[in-house]
Amino acid sequence: SMDKNPDVLRNAVFQTGDEYMRQNKVDEAITLYEKALKALPDNEDLMTRLASMYNQKQAYKSSADIYKKLTELNPGNAFYFNMLSDAYRNAGDKEKAAGVWKDILAKKPDDAGILSQAANFYSSINDMDNAILLAEKLTKLEPSNAGYLQMLAGYYSMSDKIDKAEAAYNKIIETAKEPWQKEFAGREL
């Protein structure tokens, strides 16, 4: 029967959910996904869909609860930490939003994906000191990554650390493999 086969169940749920979304029936979609999650409790697709429905309804607390569970289920996925942090921030809780990054950085201090997402977060809340610290760490971890140098140079510029920004742009011109990266740095200088 259908309920014994998770793939059949999941596909039926997604088809119905997509139909609800086309008709803008967000509440019906939420009810559907919540029921489906009782049958398939650790299904990441269902969870991310439900969380995005909650975001549409600005039910950020509910969305945060789901992303919290997703970060526990799949701690290798930096995107989930990003979404969890965003949900807390949208719910008006800056402390918790920053706490997401403090926790994960303590556990994974050398994960470039996490470091760059965290740096973006800090820059987005105008905490440039932390953004710069993380970007500096990234450029030490992966010195040949021009994207990280670009990020760092941008943070220096935003913080009026003009000498440091110049040094970073010069380093991009010296080391970048892509001509457009050298050109970008040249323009910024």
Side-chain angles (χ1 to χ4, degrees):
S1 74
M2 180 171 125
D3 55 346
K4 296 282 186 293
N5 184 335
D7 289 334
V8 176
L9 174 61
R10 191 179 57 226
N11 293 340
V13 167
F14 287 157
Q15 278 173 351
T16 310
D18 290 343
E19 194 47 50
Y20 284 144
M21 287 320 293
R22 273 193 291 278
Q23 300 169 22
N24 211 16
K25 296 180 172 174
V26 179
D27 292 334
E28 286 87 341
I30 286 175
T31 304
L32 173 75
Y33 291 139
E34 283 174 342
K35 275 189 188 143
L37 269 172
K38 289 195 174 77
L40 305 165
D42 289 342
N43 187 286
E44 289 182 39
D45 291 333
L46 279 173
M47 291 164 94
T48 51
R49 281 180 178 227
L50 180 55
S52 86
M53 303 285 104
Y54 284 139
N55 281 337
Q56 276 194 8
K57 288 207 65 152
Q58 300 183 327
Y60 298 119
K61 175 81 188 65
S62 299
S63 150
D65 291 342
I66 291 178
Y67 280 115
K68 179 100 186 74
K69 191 172 173 194
L70 281 164
T71 61
E72 288 155 8
L73 269 179
N74 187 349
N77 187 331
F79 174 74
Y80 291 154
F81 291 95
N82 212 8
M83 296 304 287
L84 175 58
S85 173
D86 281 353
Y88 285 141
R89 199 164 84 191
N90 290 332
D93 197 335
K94 249 188 187 177
E95 284 305 298
K96 260 189 170 167
V100 170
W101 297 113
K102 284 198 187 82
D103 290 350
I104 187 67
L105 286 166
K107 291 183 193 121
K108 299 183 172 201
D110 296 326
D111 182 318
I114 297 284
L115 284 165
S116 66
Q117 301 262 359
N120 278 330
F121 166 77
Y122 283 116
S123 124
S124 75
I125 61 166
N126 263 330
D127 177 349
M128 294 316 293
D129 292 342
N130 268 315
I132 285 171
L133 271 176
L134 295 173
E136 286 173 344
K137 188 167 182 186
L138 272 172
T139 59
K140 286 190 186 81
L141 268 180
E142 295 191 17
S144 65
N145 186 320
Y148 294 153
L149 267 171
Q150 230 166 287
M151 178 192 253
L152 178 59
Y155 293 161
Y156 283 147
S157 300
M158 287 158 77
S159 308
D160 289 325
K161 297 183 189 246
I162 302 306
D163 296 349
K164 285 187 169 184
E166 272 180 15
Y169 285 123
N170 277 319
K171 193 168 178 193
I172 293 172
I173 291 170
E174 285 163 35
T175 61
K177 292 175 183 61
E178 302 290 335
W180 67 264
Q181 290 173 320
K182 295 181 193 290
E183 283 161 25
F184 169 82
R187 278 199 308 276
E188 291 297 311
L189 276 174

